[in-house]
């Protein structure tokens, strides 16, 4: 499915104020995993209170042991510090990488800003090599901007 077709569905899910935020974020993860064939694991991490670490909030895909990730560790931890998108075409080429599953080949992590502060991120793992383009980045930036509005 095209990203442009998913955008109105993202907005529709997020505006359902009768549902808890966690449920809405879960539906976003599920929407992406179900409709984008190379999105195999989709999750949101957020800064864990005042600690220098990320905590897994909501995800769809294989269960992961990496519920807590210290700032600076792995792709996610690096994005928590850099405030920059991180696109990894080949996870095996990364030194500072936390493996969740042996089948994962690539990853994209996009920071989520609220009032200019990096408070979390969306993380996608793919079992396809080098699938992510600038279109994924622009789409996921849009998603994070919309999510920030309900936080
Ligand atoms: N691979 C990530 C860890 C999180 S899992 O992908 C769910 C990383 O290197 O930070």
């Amino acid at each position: 499915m095209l990203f442009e077709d998913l955008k109105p569905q993202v907005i529709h899910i997020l505006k359902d104020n009768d549902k808890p935020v966690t449920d809405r974020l879960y539906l976003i993860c599920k929407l992406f995993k179900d409709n984008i064939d190379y999105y195999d694991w989709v999750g949101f991490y957020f800064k864990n209170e005042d600690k220098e670490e990320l905590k897994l909030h909501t995800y769809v895909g294989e269960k992961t042991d990496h519920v807590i990730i210290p700032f600076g560790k792995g792709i996610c931890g690096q994005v928590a510090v850099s405030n920059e998108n991180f696109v990894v075409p080949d996870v095996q080429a990364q030194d500072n990488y936390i493996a969740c599953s042996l089948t994962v080949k690539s990853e994209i992590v996009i920071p989520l800003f609220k009032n200019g502060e990096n408070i979390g991120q969306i993380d996608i793992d793919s079992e396809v090599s080098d699938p992510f383009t600038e279109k994924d980045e622009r789409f996921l930036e849009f998603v994070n901007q919309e999510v920030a509005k309900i936080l």
Side-chain angles (χ1 to χ4, degrees):
M1 190 181 284
L2 295 173
F3 290 137
E4 287 311 312
D5 297 327
L6 289 172
K7 283 183 177 181
Q9 297 188 53
V10 168
I11 290 168
H12 180 76
I13 289 169
L14 292 175
K15 76 175 183 203
D16 185 1
N17 293 325
D18 292 336
K19 283 200 178 74
V21 167
T22 303
D23 292 7
R24 285 180 263 170
L25 293 185
Y26 171 81
L27 290 173
I28 296 285
C29 294
K30 187 165 162 28
L31 175 75
F32 295 173
K33 183 166 158 49
D34 289 349
N35 289 284
I36 307 170
D37 55 2
Y38 56 95
Y39 282 26
D40 293 301
W41 189 98
V42 182
F44 287 94
Y45 283 91
F46 288 104
K47 187 174 193 301
N48 190 13
E49 298 170 353
D50 59 351
K51 301 184 189 123
E52 296 286 292
E53 64 185 30
L54 294 161
K55 186 175 180 188
L56 183 58
H57 183 87
T58 320
Y59 71 96
V60 170
E62 209 173 291
K63 192 172 182 301
T64 176
D65 291 336
H66 302 111
V67 175
I68 300 287
I69 298 179
F71 279 16
K73 298 282 182 203
I75 308 303
C76 297
Q78 291 178 76
V79 169
V81 182
S82 72
N83 305 324
E84 305 274 357
N85 296 348
F86 202 153
V87 180
V88 183
D90 173 10
V91 294
Q92 293 201 12
Q94 293 291 319
D95 292 333
N96 189 358
Y97 169 70
I98 302 167
C100 280
S101 157
L102 293 175
T103 57
V104 172
K105 293 203 170 72
S106 56
E107 179 163 8
I108 184 169
V109 180
I110 307 291
L112 193 156
F113 299 97
K114 175 87 181 173
N115 301 326
E117 189 189 343
N118 181 354
I119 60 161
Q121 52 194 234
I122 188 165
D123 176 19
I124 323 276
D125 285 343
S126 177
E127 295 180 5
V128 175
S129 292
D130 196 10
F132 302 112
T133 69
E134 287 186 10
K135 289 194 176 131
D136 295 86
E137 290 189 70
R138 299 294 89 76
F139 173 64
L140 296 169
E141 286 165 0
F142 163 84
V143 170
N144 281 355
Q145 281 164 15
E146 293 301 316
V147 168
K149 292 178 187 169
I150 66 160
L151 299 176

